[in-house]
Amino acid sequence: MTQKTKRHNDPALAEARRNQVLCAAADCFRRKGYHGAGMAEISKTAGMSAGHIYNYFASKEAIIESIVERDMEEMFSIFKEFADKPGDRVTVLLDGLDRGVERHTDLSQGALDLEMLAEAARNEKVANLLRESDSHARDSMRELLVGERGPLQGTALEEVNARIEVMFSVMGGLLLRKMLNPDLDINELLKALRPTMKTLLLPFE
Amino acid sequence: MTQKTKRHNDPALAEARRNQVLCAAADCFRRKGYHGAGMAEISKTAGMSAGHIYNYFASKEAIIESIVERDMEEMFSIFKEFADKPGDRVTVLLDGLDRGVERHTDLSQGALDLEMLAEAARNEKVANLLRESDSHARDSMRELLVGERGPLQGTALEEVNARIEVMFSVMGGLLLRKMLNPDLDINELLKALRPTMKTLLLPFE
Amino acid sequence: MTQKTKRHNDPALAEARRNQVLCAAADCFRRKGYHGAGMAEISKTAGMSAGHIYNYFASKEAIIESIVERDMEEMFSIFKEFADKPGDRVTVLLDGLDRGVERHTDLSQGALDLEMLAEAARNEKVANLLRESDSHARDSMRELLVGERGPLQGTALEEVNARIEVMFSVMGGLLLRKMLNPDLDINELLKALRPTMKTLLLPFE
Amino acid sequence: MTQKTKRHNDPALAEARRNQVLCAAADCFRRKGYHGAGMAEISKTAGMSAGHIYNYFASKEAIIESIVERDMEEMFSIFKEFADKPGDRVTVLLDGLDRGVERHTDLSQGALDLEMLAEAARNEKVANLLRESDSHARDSMRELLVGERGPLQGTALEEVNARIEVMFSVMGGLLLRKMLNPDLDINELLKALRPTMKTLLLPFE
DNA sequence: TATGAATGAGGCTTCATTCAT
DNA sequence: TATGAATGAAGCCTCATTCAT
């Protein structure tokens, strides 16, 4: 797995410490960016010495990679929830829109996402993790659309994929919107977003 | 201006040198990211000594700020083109979609945009420039939509603004899509994107 | 003694533990050098926690000092053997040559010796131990040469000392030879070494 | 070549700076050992900032490697001198003995040599350089012995090689002697060393 | 006695920036 | 105007050592 560090006798403690570091690092990266945040600051935020962090992570890079992995798992669980919800898929997805917008519109989370994306441009490992994550997400979404009770069951696969791309694009783009327009009114936005998504969720015409 | 540097005897030459640096830096940032590219590499790419760059830019930060400014101007001119085009606004905008997608889908340009956005999260000056640029862009778009020959002339301003946000969100999101899914098929994408945009450009229902 | 550490309730166990550490450390130093081997590795090799080692040794330096002491004792016993051997001294010494060459030609032992010598150049305590050890060795050798049955009984003391220096120099130099010329053929070497030693063991002319 | 560093416009200055660093580093290594001497100390000794050193050497390791290379060249020139001297080879070599002993008996040089040898035990590059150097030295010596005017022209090659090993061993061993016996009387030593060498330089019996 | 989590000083190296020329 | 040698602060990381348990 991703274990390249010392074995720990007390796995629970170790996991707790890893989390301490991960949270602290995420916090620092949000505020200063990956390159702007130093191990010194991270260690202070985590309430542990800089050296000790290296008992849990092989390097600063390994930290951001773990953050990415953690985010991936979070996203998996979100799609799982969708899949488990009963009722009409279109309704379920549209109902989930509010939460999705909120998530993609949270400035501090967005800053971290952006940081990871920017890092991906020059760190192949991070890029691959993100791509893998995205691929899973597209798979999940496709299953929702063309699987059982899916609204696009008869649609050509290429078209479904394209629709997913556009949907993901809107949502992903929200990361940027809030940053570029802090006055953004989320409620108003939803009024325009909902019809847009409906267009994408139902057969054209 | 953003001039914080010494006066130059030959303003034309100075401007040429500034451009040399800007292009070189943009190139390096694209390839290595803002933090990954060093002044040494930039200076080599620009064909001038590292020290000399400081006769034109106060700091490395000032360089990326100037790059942002340059990109802003580029965008202004694009919207100007739209405004100058005769004929139906919806048609004009939909016809421009291909070029827009291409622009936002170019990986190397996208890397630079991402770099600027990530930098914005921690550099207030960059953030303000980008926001100002975005504000202008929204103004221009609004004018296209509700101004003369605009398809949304009767629509409430809040709604128009919200539609713009969604439109910008899709386009901005494309930056991420190509990075997260390198196999992205742009032609297929356009087939789903066009109806989406049409939904946003015309009154609902 | 060199005891600077806490009193131990069970001296026998303590001694066993000290030996465990000494052997492990010698092993690590051979493989990685004094600076290359960390306390973590030593403790793992010794089968005991890093912290616990400090109950037996005040510091990493104290460990190498103890190793030197141990080696000294080994050498004393070797000279004792020579002294106890009956028969002609020259023959005895020449017969012991094979084993001496073997010992000084063993790469892993040589690495440790070199490590100690290099350490001596900057650790006065180590230097003194080694010098003391060498002094004893010279005394022993002198006794063999000018004492009862010694081949150089009539020779001036200064000359005897000088011969000893040269003999020790050849043997010590072997440490380097094997390292600098891994292809070194020990059997051939002995053919040239034996006449050399004979020259040094018998009156000149 | 060994160039992995920035190109320099003024090669003379660059060479001077490299030498500054090399001398300073050699000095520090002598006093504190390779691992004991930090870049900070080296840079202070060299009268230049730590960062600047990296314009001339890729790493601390590269520094010691260069020192080894420098020593190699020095040794080549010594053998060259021997080869160029007219007259009887045995006489020439025995006459050169004084200088050789002096060289191998210099404590500060010896400390550095020891440092390099110890480093060789764990740095393959250093080991290879030293071995290459030693191989050249043996070649040169062999040429002196069996070449034109050589005293061992008829002798079997294996035996010649073995004699060389023993000669080199004595000389190399002197490094250790001075360190282990600071009272060593060099003049007396020479009295015993000369007959020894003569034994090795002339056919046995 | 024994552990190993935790510390923190110090190591090597990078890089934006300055300045004499 | 232009250079690039030089600086030095700051970065990431290692490791001998300590201490609560």
Side-chain angles (χ1 to χ4, degrees), chain B residues 67-124:
Chain B
I67 291 180
V68 173
E69 285 177 341
R70 215 178 44 163
D71 273 23
M72 286 169 59
E73 287 160 23
E74 182 202 335
M75 206 184 44
F76 291 161
S77 76
I78 290 179
F79 272 106
K80 187 124 198 353
E81 268 183 52
F82 277 125
D84 291 347
K85 279 240 173 64
D88 178 40
R89 284 275 128 103
V90 174
T91 311
V92 165
L93 285 167
L94 286 179
D95 283 353
L97 206 53
D98 298 60
R99 222 181 84 193
V101 168
E102 197 176 356
R103 165 68 167 68
H104 284 81
T105 256
D106 175 58
L107 256 192
S108 75
Q109 182 58 43
L112 184 51
D113 289 339
L114 235 47
E115 211 57 53
M116 298 189 308
L117 285 159
E119 192 60 18
R122 75 198 76 107
N123 178 335
E124 204 54 26

Side-chain angles (χ1 to χ4, degrees), chain A residues 9 17 49 51-52 56:
Chain A
N9 274 19
R17 290 279 176 275
S49 76
H52 196 33
Y56 301 103

